[in-house]
Amino acid sequence: MSDLHGERPGGPVRVLLADDEEMIRHGVRLILRHAQDIDVVAEAVNGAEAVELAARHPVDVALVDIRMPVLDGLAAIEQLVRLDPKPQVVMLTTFGDEENVTRALQAGASGFLLKDEGPQELISAVRAAAAGDAVLSPGVTGHVVRRMLQGGGRIGAGTADERLAALTDREREVLAMLGEGLSNLEIGRRLEIGLGTVKTHVGRILDKTGTESRVQAALLAHQAGLTG
């Protein structure tokens, strides 16, 4: 079943929930209702319905479970990130989903959030995703990054140096900061540039390196040795 409201251009962050467990959707919905700048506009019980809803009624952020019937979360993420406009996709996961988290990030997810995170962490994650920042639960991040940087965990085609060749010096600076896990706001403060300029740099970095999300870009920064 789905629950879809009308569009609110320039209004609250529009969120799609995709999870086959009604209790999970209910709990997430109740938490997000406490944030006046977030509006849960659609709910899906499987990946296919999530893609259909997001295609017909664009949303800003999609919170997607990994294990769903009809079309699982991994397949749904691959289709969601191809939409125009595409939502920022955050995978809802448990610690035991480490391998699936890795695959989701490779598919273009903006990040992942543990299902047992607290209410404020969930609200902050939705806001961060909507702002174009990465969403990475600290409890799993280190494990996932190590896995992806091991053999077979490379993002995209070509060597890291080849994919960075087209970047300007400033774009390399920004990419290195993405590798450090800095938000757009933190990057802007460090470089003394506006938030809009940071977003422009990040967009160009994704285009030039062929990465689907800032998480993939951050991993590329590690592969290229841009981080300490």
Side-chain angles (χ1 to χ4, degrees), residues 21-201:
E21 295 187 36
E22 185 176 356
M23 288 290 291
I24 296 294
R25 297 198 314 276
H26 179 71
V28 172
R29 188 191 324 122
L30 287 180
I31 290 171
L32 295 182
R33 278 181 178 172
H34 289 286
Q36 294 183 348
D37 58 337
I38 297 173
D39 191 5
V40 177
V41 298
E43 294 185 30
V45 299
N46 59 63
E49 187 178 23
V51 173
E52 178 186 354
L53 287 171
R56 288 194 287 112
H57 304 275
V59 295
D60 302 304
V61 178
L63 298 176
V64 180
D65 184 28
I66 210 68
R67 295 184 175 91
M68 293 185 291
V70 185
L71 188 71
D72 68 20
L74 290 172
I77 288 169
E78 291 177 350
Q79 295 186 34
L80 286 167
V81 299
R82 296 193 188 106
L83 296 178
D84 184 18
K86 72 175 182 179
Q88 298 296 316
V89 183
V90 178
M91 193 184 75
L92 293 174
T93 183
T94 61
F95 187 83
D97 282 331
E98 183 179 323
E99 181 176 353
N100 285 329
V101 170
T102 302
R103 292 171 60 194
L105 296 182
Q106 290 174 324
S110 301
F112 55 87
L113 190 67
L114 292 177
K115 286 188 175 181
D116 60 358
E117 293 282 7
Q120 191 54 54
E121 285 75 14
L122 176 60
I123 291 172
S124 296
V126 170
R127 288 172 175 160
D133 288 330
V135 179
L136 302 171
S137 284
V140 191
T141 301
H143 298 279
V144 173
V145 169
R146 283 193 293 273
R147 178 188 286 269
M148 293 190 76
L149 293 179
Q150 291 171 352
R154 192 168 296 279
I155 295 293
T159 66
D161 288 342
E162 289 172 344
R163 301 175 70 193
L164 266 59
L167 299 182
T168 64
D169 289 342
R170 175 48 60 92
E171 288 165 353
R172 283 175 175 263
E173 282 185 279
V174 173
L175 179 59
M177 293 179 194
L178 291 179
E180 293 177 33
L182 298 187
S183 68
N184 287 347
L185 184 60
E186 291 168 331
I187 292 173
R189 287 173 175 169
R190 182 176 294 188
L191 296 178
E192 299 183 341
I193 58 179
L195 191 59
T197 302
V198 176
K199 291 181 178 179
T200 297
H201 284 315

